Amino acid sequence: MKKTAIFLVLIISMLSINAQQSKVVSAYNYIKPQYNELGKAKEAIDEASKHEKTIGKAKTWYYRGQVYHAIYQSTDTNFQDLHETPLTEAVNAYIKAIELDEKEQYKKDCIGRLKIASVQLLNKGINDFNANDYSKALDDFENSIRINSLEYINEIDSMAIFNAAIAADRNKNYDKAIKYYNETIDLKYEGSKVFLFLSNVLKTQGDTIASIEKIKDGIDAYPDDNNSLIIELINYYLATNKSEEALGYLKIAIEKDSLNHSFHFAEGTIYDRMEEYDKAIKCYAAAIELEEDFFDAQYNIGAVYYNRAVQHFNVANDIPQNKQKEYEDEIVKAKEQMKSALPYLEKAHELNEKDLSTMQSLKEIYVRLQMYDKSKEIKAKMDAAKE
């Protein structure tokens, strides 16, 4: 009886193993085009993947990968909802199949399927990103990177790494954004703009020093393609009142792009701030020469002349009455400066008829130069603008 019992146990055990192995084969058969029963395939392979008799078999995970890959690739809406992340599940299954495949029966095919999945994850990430689902996009790109980093694949996809950085940035996952931006920089992918993106992340985290250093690193790394970095650095120095530093980088910018009117204007504003007015006028004039309808440059050059006129009037007012000649000389100088300001301020008014500062300056000039008809006209415009 004992021998019979043992024999029966063996039979039952063999039947159990065969049943589970049958489920593995059934799962594979269900995904064939002539059957296309992905629901049944998933049910069978899920059970086989958990059963103690088949969970440790490379074949189980090889077929599991194919089942979930087929679910992901299916265009049938009945199958698309069978699993939330079927492609990731397929990837994990292929990797496990390779780990268990001591005889390497499935390794080559799994590697080929993993490479396909890597591209699919990259494309899926792009679609998720365009749908503003940055969290999913980041997962997709990271899974694509994970596949490529496997020792038996060992490939670098610069686009996936850069995309992961952008997705992490948009998802406000700044630690990962910094990691992937730095990797992108190391790969020399996408040029100087990556330094700018990384700098902005560092700035967002409050690390201004590191942010500026990264900008400078980008300028050094890409001497022929760094305009956006130079502009960022100039803006930083302007905002922090570091005029000399801003001028230094502005000169570099102008050497690279002398036809950019904004650079000449920015240079003018710095000299204006430093009270080097002749240099400021020269820079504003250069900007106007390149862009005649540039309101700010027209207004600023007019304002320089106007402010000089005011200074002469102030000096004249402080001259004693017994020094009439000195007084008159200062008044003449003041009016000459106003005459110089006039065409620029009139052009500025032409470009922006509602700007009250321009009109106020023009009104003062017209009165001082005894252009009373013009004075009345501009005053009427000012009154209308205030209503």
Side-chain angles (χ1 to χ4, degrees), residues 233-247 269-270 272-274:
L233 201 53
I234 290 167
N235 287 335
Y236 167 74
Y237 285 133
L238 287 173
T240 53
N241 293 320
K242 295 181 178 179
S243 300
E244 293 294 342
E245 291 89 341
L247 278 174
T269 61
I270 295 171
D272 207 339
R273 184 186 299 171
M274 295 170 69

Side-chain angles (χ1 to χ4, degrees), residues 27-38:
Y28 176 71
N29 286 330
Y30 281 136
I31 65 174
K32 290 181 179 179
Q34 59 266 41
Y35 297 110
N36 195 30
E37 294 283 357
L38 295 182

Side-chain angles (χ1 to χ4, degrees), residues 82-97:
L82 288 173
H83 195 274
E84 188 176 355
T85 56
L87 187 53
T88 301
E89 196 70 26
V91 168
N92 293 336
Y94 291 139
I95 292 172
K96 191 170 183 66

Side-chain angles (χ1 to χ4, degrees), residues 290-303:
L290 293 167
E291 184 66 42
E292 184 181 359
D293 292 341
F294 188 3
F295 170 81
D296 289 336
Q298 295 281 2
Y299 177 82
N300 280 17
I301 197 169

Side-chain angles (χ1 to χ4, degrees), residues 326-345:
E326 290 183 23
Y327 172 82
E328 291 176 354
D329 287 345
E330 285 300 323
I331 294 297
V332 169
K333 290 176 183 177
K335 290 184 176 181
E336 287 300 319
Q337 293 297 317
M338 283 194 160
K339 289 177 183 177
S340 295
L342 190 56
Y344 296 105
L345 291 174

